[in-house]
Amino acid sequence: MSENSGSWSRRGFLGASAAGAAVAADMTGLNVLQNPVLASELKQQGKRVILLWLAGGASQLETFDPKPGRSTGGPFRAIKTSVPGVEISELMPKMATRLSKYTTIIRSLDTKNADHGGAARLMHLGRRDEPTVKYPDLGAVLARELGRVDSQVPDYVSFYTATEGRGSAVSQSGFLGARYNAMFLTEGNVPPNLRKLDEISDLDHQQRGELRDLLSKRFAAGRQSASLGSHNESYARVRGLMASEQLFDISKEPQSIRDKYGPTLFGEQCLVARRLVEAGVPFVKISRAWWDSHGQNFETHLELVTELDNVMSALLDDLSERGLLENTLVVTLSEFGRTPSINSSLGRDHFASAWSSSLSGCGVKAGSVYGASDDDGREVKDGKIGAAELFATIYRAVGIDHRKDYHIGARPIPLTDPGTKHVAEVLS
């Protein structure tokens, strides 16, 4: 299976699902946002993850691990946060006031790969593929573990609308199969092919569905067929997905909410992400490109970190005010960080030896900081972890035992490499 082979279409979904998907529901009339019973159930039981993927490699020194006063520190100051003794970049004043409420910082990632392609795969899969085994990415695993069999909405939605770095935008369901591929959006905020054709009226659309149901029931009468049942279930799921178009339409949101997220595409997509998790989508990835600042690092980060600070704080506030954050984990992650040293173009290059990530919300001990880099940020001096430990921590935060096994035939495939330990210190 190739990267991004999950680019989604109704026809593709039907074809893949008819081969073995197990989903079922009568999806007509989807209106989950206004269904208080379903919304309440989701708030009580559903675990969700939103990944803010900072494509190209965000600088830890201009975000969560500043080095003020050092030759590697750059021009931006460190500022105090709501957690005593913890400072972050002055480019993140809004998150500084929210750290104790929502967020834990991990400052000790050492992932040993500073190549865009290989590092992006590692930080999506949590491990490296084997020659004969394609592993599912984080979104596919969470779609499998957190999705509901009778879901009316997609299980895995991924936005990557920039062109820079899209070739490294890993989306791979691996051995879990096409059922857990992403709905991969590259052209806009609304999936293509969801709308019925304009020349078909609502009445025609309804009557065609009723006719199809009548003929299907007659055909199925007296027949026992797993493939027949699977096809009917897949058809019902597609109808539900068609009805979910409204979830991607932020014009339904009050202007005051839209203003908090801001007018940028990243802000709008994060607002869509909130609508999706509210409706029960277990995994949403929003990719913001392009952080690869080999030149003019500080101008690039002034723009991108300022936007991240505003959008991330708005997202966390919004989730919290709706009672969703206790069941929704928000992760910031890149393929690697940036070098402590500043090159002759005032840039920072690729760096995987001591960089940062953040976890907010579900299952997280807010206000905690795990690990540390040395005074100049050149290496980890305390609490070194790799991709496997980070993934194990994410799984644990949403209630998944990272030591569980899947199976390919009789062969057990552990969710994370054997012996991997999660970071218990950042979990509540």
Side-chain angles (χ1 to χ4, degrees):
M1 182 176 297
S2 62
E3 290 180 8
N4 304 335
S5 59
S7 295
W8 189 90
S9 68
R10 277 181 284 159
R11 185 179 299 278
F13 178 85
L14 268 173
S17 301
V23 289
D26 179 0
M27 314 295 183
T28 56
L30 175 69
N31 198 14
V32 291
L33 289 178
Q34 281 72 46
N35 185 328
V37 175
L38 178 56
S40 176
E41 178 186 344
L42 292 172
K43 290 177 182 178
Q44 291 173 11
Q45 300 178 9
K47 303 292 187 185
R48 310 286 178 249
V49 176
I50 297 174
L51 171 59
L52 305 182
W53 178 253
L54 311 180
S59 170
Q60 67 282 0
L61 295 104
E62 277 71 51
T63 52
F64 295 112
D65 192 13
K67 300 296 180 185
R70 308 296 296 188
S71 61
T72 58
F76 300 119
R77 295 181 302 117
I79 57 173
K80 294 180 179 179
T81 69
S82 56
V83 180
V86 177
E87 296 184 338
I88 61 176
S89 170
E90 67 173 322
L91 300 179
M92 307 191 79
K94 293 184 178 180
M95 282 305 304
T97 65
R98 291 163 171 80
L99 209 62
S100 60
K101 293 175 61 180
Y102 303 138
T103 302
T104 186
I105 298 172
I106 294 176
R107 288 174 167 168
S108 54
L109 282 165
D110 181 358
T111 49
K112 307 189 186 304
N113 191 328
D115 166 72
H116 281 298
R121 289 192 67 77
L122 177 63
M123 299 314 297
H124 278 86
L125 304 180
R127 59 175 71 174
R128 292 176 176 80
D129 284 323
E130 300 177 25
T132 59
V133 177
K134 290 285 189 182
Y135 288 109
D137 68 15
L138 178 67
V141 170
L142 293 173
R144 162 71 179 265
E145 296 294 329
L146 304 180
R148 298 185 312 172
V149 172
D150 62 345
S151 174
Q152 302 180 18
V153 294
D155 291 323
Y156 176 4
V157 177
S158 176
F159 292 88
Y160 201 119
T161 44
T163 55
E164 302 96 334
R166 193 185 294 171
S168 299
V170 179
S171 179
Q172 174 175 299
S173 58
F175 61 76
L176 291 181
R179 167 70 173 82
Y180 300 103
N181 271 332
M183 176 186 282
F184 197 77
L185 283 75
T186 59
E187 302 299 327
N189 291 350
V190 179
N193 306 321
L194 279 188
R195 295 176 180 170
K196 64 177 177 58
L197 298 175
D198 291 339
E199 55 266 34
I200 299 176
S201 68
D202 291 339
L203 180 59
D204 283 345
H205 187 62
Q206 176 184 342
Q207 290 178 337
R208 290 183 186 200
E210 292 171 351
L211 177 60
R212 187 266 174 201
D213 290 342
L214 175 64
L215 295 175
S216 179
K217 288 177 182 176
R218 286 181 179 176
F219 182 79
R223 290 183 170 90
Q224 296 292 330
S225 169
S227 60
L228 177 62
S230 177
H231 185 84
N232 284 334
E233 291 163 359
S234 300
Y235 182 83
R237 181 170 169 78
V238 167
R239 293 189 66 187
L241 293 172
M242 290 178 67
S244 70
E245 180 185 5
Q246 60 177 305
L247 300 177
F248 297 85
D249 183 4
I250 62 170
S251 69
K252 308 294 183 184
E253 291 288 331
Q255 188 61 46
S256 59
I257 297 295
R258 297 178 64 178
D259 289 344
K260 290 180 179 177
Y261 283 83
T264 66
L265 185 60
F266 181 53
E268 291 179 348
Q269 289 174 341
C270 283
L271 179 51
V272 173
R274 192 274 288 161
R275 291 173 60 84
L276 291 172
V277 299
E278 188 171 34
V281 177
F283 184 81
V284 183
K285 182 175 76 173
I286 308 295
S287 299
R288 176 64 169 104
W290 180 236
W291 295 75
D292 194 25
S293 51
H294 294 284
Q296 303 302 325
N297 172 79
F298 305 106
E299 290 185 8
T300 299
H301 279 71
L302 176 60
E303 175 188 350
L304 293 180
V305 180
T306 300
E307 181 191 42
L308 174 66
D309 183 54
N310 180 70
V311 173
M312 183 177 175
S313 58
L315 174 63
L316 295 177
D317 285 347
D318 198 7
L319 289 168
S320 177
E321 290 165 3
R322 291 168 181 272
L324 295 167
L325 190 57
E326 63 187 59
N327 285 326
T328 303
L329 179 68
V330 179
V331 181
T332 64
L333 190 61
S334 299
E335 57 262 55
F336 41 61
R338 312 302 307 181
T339 52
S341 57
I342 301 167
N343 64 33
S344 59
S345 299
L346 296 180
R348 297 188 191 271
D349 301 313
H350 303 174
F351 187 67
S353 299
W355 57 289
S356 303
S357 174
S358 74
L359 309 174
S360 304
C362 177
V364 163
K365 188 182 297 181
S368 60
V369 177
Y370 180 80
S373 58
D374 65 15
D375 290 346
D376 287 325
R378 298 188 186 280
E379 61 183 16
V380 174
K381 70 175 184 181
D382 180 49
K384 183 185 293 186
I385 65 169
E389 290 79 12
L390 178 62
F391 273 52
T393 306
I394 292 171
Y395 293 141
R396 284 285 181 147
V398 294
I400 300 169
D401 185 352
H402 68 277
R403 298 164 299 184
K404 72 179 296 183
D405 289 332
Y406 292 135
H407 287 82
I408 300 178
R411 177 188 170 185
I413 305 290
L415 189 54
T416 57
D417 291 336
T420 299
K421 295 182 179 178
H422 66 285
V423 183
E425 291 87 339
V426 304
L427 300 182
S428 57

